[in-house]
Amino acid sequence: MSVVVPSMVRTRRRKSSSAERADFQRADFPRERRSSSATRDPFAPIDKYYDEEHIQERLLGSKKQRVVTSYTRQAPVSTPDFGTGFYPRRRGSHDEYTQADQELLINVEKTISDLLDREDNDRNHQITIEDNGPKHISLGTLASAGYRSTDLRGNYVISNLLQELTLAKDLGKKVVKIHRSRLNENPVDRLSRRIRDEFWKNLERCLDADLIEKAGRDPKDWTADPRPRIYVPHGCPEQYEYYTQVAKERPQMRLDVRWLPEGSITPEFVRDLNDAPGILALAMRKEIVNGKEILKGEPFTVPGGRFNEFYGWDSYMESIGLLEHGRVSMAKSMAINFAFCIQHYGKILNANRSYYLCRSQPPFLTDMALKIYEHIKHESDGLSFLKYITQAAIKEYYSVWMAEPRFDTDSGLSRYRPDGLGVPPETEASHFVHVIEPYAQKLGKSFDEYVDGYNAGTIHEPELDEYFLHDRAVRESGHDTSYRLEGCAANLATVDLNSLLYKYETDIARIIRTYFRDHLKITREFQTEANRINGFETSAVWDRRARMRKARMDKLMWNEKVGMYFDYDTVKKAKTNYESATTFWAMWAGAASPRQAAAMVLKALPKFEEFGGLVSGTEKSRGEISISRPNRQWDYPFGWAPQQILAWGGLIRYGYTEEAHRLAYKWLYMVIKAFVDFNGVVVEKYNVTRELDPHKVEAEYGNQGSDFKGVPREGFGWVNASFVYGLSILPISMKRALGTITPWRTFHEKTAVKLDNFDELTIQEVAEDVAEEIGFQNEHGRRASVL
């Protein structure tokens, strides 16, 4: 009996159109027995990954009769009933193991339009778990030149597709290939990659010709003619000449270049600049380009959202993430910019805008300098960098924090208490309607008339002066706003500020003693009345200052009964009773004794720990919320990245590693869960008590970073940093669990060591086995040494 092999049977029937197309594909696009991921990295940065020329070469080869878009397969038009028609019903699981190495060929514009049409039910240009679309799309594969299609399912994959196509559209791409693994990427890896490759880059600014138009733009400029404007310190004539030349060469920018006066800057002068707000110049360096010397701005990162300038403590927090990602030069440039601000503006500014000239921010410069130095100490200029930044920090310490009005002589502690006049111009005056309106009505004036008169100094109202004194202090503290500080901020010697100054004192002592042989010479530009006569600093003075500050904090701020530090009211001469997460800053700074740290972990930590990490303050301290007493964003139930970062560092410093890991896991889980469910969102702050949608914050300023179209491009600076730093301190098992979006409760239950079922005999047997094993190892070691 003969056997006919089907593959060898020859027929002469006419080929179908599909068969003809298959022959065309085999002739022009030979398939290889290897995955495309073997030749091209599916997780490359977007500017390298989306390469249209590569697609054209693969699809068209030498034949150019067709365009690439003719190969893209578009999904069918959606029907009103998502459960019927072209789309399969949504289902809970989908096995894509056999499709792991697929690459998709996608028409960017058409696919974005189709995705938004059927998936984005609330029309906010995002695809989230709150949208009730089919969460399914069919797209052509690259291997078949768009002939065959494959399915993509699930909210995470579909929203990632929208994000990737939006990024490709930003680059001007019409047709792209996307590897399926890029859409199914482990969410922890995806967010880490986007922070490293995209977010940091998009947050970068520089005050030179290339970026000054972008950096000079101020979303908080409420004047009738907002335009780029830069103020140059009197001691920087080269910069003034540089920006003047830029303005001449690019008149369409309308750059306004102005001098700042020589000498001290008064509150009256700052107030009078409010009609012409502008950005303040930062450090520049000289470079040789094509044999010509030019000025180049030292770059910096901005927080994100509407905050488009160089901020104080935001930049420190961002530097932690930048250093983890190896972006040392950026962190170094920001420290140099801080030193420039201290030299020319007298302080590290709230931010480098003209209306912030009287206002500082929480001081972190010494710790920032030490962290950067650890990365550059092998470089030739490493020690000179450390010296330069330390001198700047010493000047800031003397002239800002140990000088009136911020220094309180009675307590020996420091306060946030900036100078200033009028209504804070970076906030719309309407924000203060409820405060100002009664005073305007009393004088028979409209709200706008009263604000103009009050800002100009023609209307005097001591009660309003007191209100805005405290309001400016709240903003200088960085904790704007909170019922902890409302109406009293300028009078409080806060735990956070004095912990940071204790850290300054101990850091400076260590730097002088360790790196400068206990004798640090202070150059003229950083000298103050405190060191101008001697011209140098030694460590003993700074050690003594640190001991004195700790003693004062222990006496005036520490509450032994509740195991917590509280702010001290320098006017009422008493501790406050507001329970704030800033108590853990004393641990981060090393100001707490081991006994005090243990008390905080035992008594205070349970009061602040919530589903998503640490809450800023307790619900009891915040009090009742009503229409007349709304939420404040630095109170319960909100959590912020700086509070998490400093608490983790403090816990680790005192040996409470498990607690630090638990808190870091909770915060990172909350961030990554929102990232997965809500179209890649990364925002300024979170509601740490809210499991489903923690990024939805109901407070006076909303939430920066949540308002985007298609894809977030920046995240938010210090949350980016908290995610990167948090991952760096977690063990690998926790990182893997985060990648599978495992809640802390589940992870803890599955990994906890349980001894409930062990009796004493079983434990004794285990102990004997361990002892026997140790004895065997010792005997084996002795034999090995004899041999």
Side-chain angles (χ1 to χ4, degrees), residues 610-630:
E610 297 287 348
F611 171 81
L614 288 178
V615 70
S616 293
T618 63
E619 186 174 14
K620 174 185 174 183
S621 291
R622 181 203 63 183
E624 293 294 326
I625 296 302
S626 64
I627 295 177
S628 59
R629 195 174 185 271

Side-chain angles (χ1 to χ4, degrees), residues 272-447:
D272 293 343
L273 293 181
N274 290 342
D275 291 333
I279 200 161
L280 301 173
L282 295 174
M284 302 189 83
R285 61 178 182 268
K286 294 179 180 179
E287 292 185 357
I288 304 298
V289 178
N290 298 325
K292 183 180 179 181
E293 186 179 79
I294 64 169
L295 288 179
K296 198 73 177 172
E298 292 285 358
F300 57 94
T301 54
V302 300
R306 72 188 186 105
F307 304 111
N308 189 42
E309 49 272 313
F310 181 51
Y311 276 80
W313 71 319
D314 293 74
S315 297
Y316 166 76
M317 297 299 166
E318 288 171 320
S319 73
I320 295 173
L322 291 167
L323 291 174
E324 286 291 340
H325 273 158
R327 299 175 70 93
V328 180
S329 61
M330 173 59 78
K332 183 179 177 182
S333 291
M334 291 201 294
I336 291 171
N337 279 323
F338 280 145
F340 180 93
C341 290
I342 293 169
Q343 180 179 348
H344 294 284
Y345 307 127
K347 60 182 71 66
I348 290 178
L349 300 170
N350 187 159
N352 66 320
R353 296 283 181 189
S354 56
Y355 41 78
Y356 292 135
L357 276 165
C358 290
R359 196 188 308 165
S360 189
Q361 281 238 294
F364 286 92
L365 187 55
T366 57
D367 190 72
M368 185 179 184
L370 285 167
K371 281 182 167 61
I372 295 169
Y373 180 70
E374 282 301 309
H375 288 79
I376 65 169
K377 58 186 176 183
H378 60 283
E379 299 176 5
S380 60
D381 67 338
L383 197 60
S384 61
F385 164 82
L386 183 61
K387 180 180 180 180
Y388 177 62
I389 303 302
T390 303
Q391 289 184 91
I394 290 172
K395 179 178 180 180
E396 179 202 20
Y397 175 89
Y398 285 136
S399 61
V400 178
W401 305 114
M402 298 300 289
E404 293 185 350
R406 293 176 177 86
F407 181 67
D408 176 55
T409 54
D410 290 344
S411 66
L413 298 172
S414 300
R415 308 168 291 191
Y416 296 112
R417 198 179 178 93
D419 292 323
L421 295 170
V423 180
E426 78 276 14
T427 302
E428 288 181 281
S430 59
H431 179 77
F432 300 103
V433 167
H434 66 291
V435 176
I436 297 175
E437 191 69 45
Y439 296 100
Q441 292 176 355
K442 189 167 61 175
L443 294 183
K445 294 181 178 292
S446 70
F447 174 80

Side-chain angles (χ1 to χ4, degrees), residues 487-505:
C488 61
N491 298 336
L492 298 183
T494 63
V495 177
D496 36 297
L497 175 57
N498 286 279
S499 294
L500 296 181
L501 293 177
Y502 175 85
K503 184 73 159 59
Y504 258 42
E505 291 156 351

Side-chain angles (χ1 to χ4, degrees), residues 464-637:
L464 270 186
D465 293 343
E466 179 76 8
Y467 175 87
F468 284 114
L469 167 67
H470 295 303
D471 183 81
R472 286 190 296 272
V474 171
R475 297 173 191 281
E476 182 170 72
S477 77
H479 295 76
D480 47 327
T481 59
S482 165
Y483 287 117
R484 166 193 167 215
L485 304 173
E486 191 164 293
C488 61
N491 298 336
L492 298 183
T494 63
V495 177
D496 36 297
L497 175 57
N498 286 279
S499 294
L500 296 181
L501 293 177
Y502 175 85
K503 184 73 159 59
Y504 258 42
E505 291 156 351
T506 54
D507 283 348
I508 291 170
R510 179 161 69 91
I511 290 169
I512 295 173
R513 184 168 50 246
T514 305
Y515 301 109
F516 299 102
R517 299 180 180 180
D518 212 14
H519 185 95
L520 178 63
K521 186 176 180 180
I522 307 298
T523 55
R524 183 177 297 275
E525 65 269 23
F526 291 119
Q527 288 180 0
T528 66
E529 292 298 325
N531 54 26
R532 184 164 293 135
I533 295 176
N534 293 330
F536 65 89
E537 295 280 350
T538 59
S539 64
V541 177
W542 292 93
D543 284 328
R544 185 163 59 252
R545 287 174 179 147
R547 289 195 299 271
M548 289 292 293
R549 189 176 299 274
K550 173 173 169 49
R552 289 169 179 141
M553 291 176 66
D554 289 345
K555 179 181 179 180
L556 301 176
M557 296 179 166
W558 175 252
N559 186 316
E560 184 69 30
K561 182 178 180 180
V562 297
M564 195 182 306
Y565 287 96
F566 290 89
D567 301 327
Y568 177 75
D569 192 315
T570 60
V571 174
K572 296 180 179 179
K573 310 294 184 185
K575 282 192 287 285
T576 65
N577 59 4
Y578 191 102
E579 296 171 333
S580 169
T582 54
T583 188
F584 300 109
W585 291 32
M587 291 178 65
W588 175 84
S593 68
R595 182 182 58 81
Q596 288 170 323
M600 280 193 276
V601 172
L602 180 65
K603 298 178 182 180
L605 187 58
K607 296 182 178 183
F608 297 96
E609 187 170 352
E610 297 287 348
F611 171 81
L614 288 178
V615 70
S616 293
T618 63
E619 186 174 14
K620 174 185 174 183
S621 291
R622 181 203 63 183
E624 293 294 326
I625 296 302
S626 64
I627 295 177
S628 59
R629 195 174 185 271
N631 267 323
R632 298 292 188 233
Q633 62 179 4
W634 280 92
D635 290 336
Y636 182 93

